[in-house]
Amino acid sequence: MDWYTLSDLAILRELGSSLRQVRLNRNQSQQAVADAAGIDRATLSQIEHGRPTSLLTFVQLLRTLEQLELLNALVTKAEISPLTLARLAKKQRRNAYPPTADTPPTPPPAEW
């Protein structure tokens, strides 16, 4: 499906319809799913018909329907390029040097 060709409301209808199908495949009533998710049955009905909802409610429904793995597609990890990683490794300190005369002394540990 090309999500970019759909309007925002059409996307909500598709998501609601998919949630409804998952619920039906699990042979669960709207009331049972709504109770388990901690929402009103009418709210679930509205979501299944494509009405806007909060992200929290959507996550509650995904959890109840055991579909949280669908969120994996939304999570991205920042990756460091190998070149940047090599530059950072080059800047890391590799040796400790003895203190010199102009190095301030290390303060004693605090006594708490």
Side-chain angles (χ1 to χ4, degrees):
M1 174 175 294
D2 186 6
W3 294 97
Y4 291 100
T5 61
L6 300 176
S7 69
D8 294 345
L9 293 177
I11 291 172
L12 290 178
R13 280 192 298 274
E14 285 294 326
L15 293 175
S17 176
S18 294
L19 280 177
R20 180 176 188 269
Q21 193 58 52
V22 169
R23 178 181 62 76
L24 292 173
N25 289 346
R26 294 173 54 93
N27 197 30
Q28 291 182 306
S29 68
Q30 279 186 336
Q31 189 64 55
V33 171
D35 290 344
I39 62 173
D40 192 63
R41 190 207 54 79
T43 301
L44 176 56
S45 178
Q46 290 177 350
I47 294 167
E48 287 182 353
H49 286 91
R51 300 291 193 299
T53 188
S54 73
L55 188 55
L56 175 61
T57 302
F58 191 73
V59 169
Q60 288 170 311
L61 286 171
L62 289 177
R63 182 181 304 282
T64 299
L65 295 169
E66 298 177 351
Q67 297 295 311
L68 284 174
E69 66 276 357
L70 295 174
L71 298 176
N72 287 336
L74 300 175
V75 179
T76 58
K77 305 253 187 224
E79 294 183 21
I80 299 176
S81 72
L83 186 58
T84 304
L85 191 58
R87 286 182 188 146
L88 290 174
K90 192 185 267 189
K91 291 181 180 180
Q92 282 184 332
R93 235 181 121 165
R94 300 197 192 296
N95 298 318
Y97 299 100
T100 59
D102 54 332
T103 304
T106 306
E111 295 179 21
W112 288 64

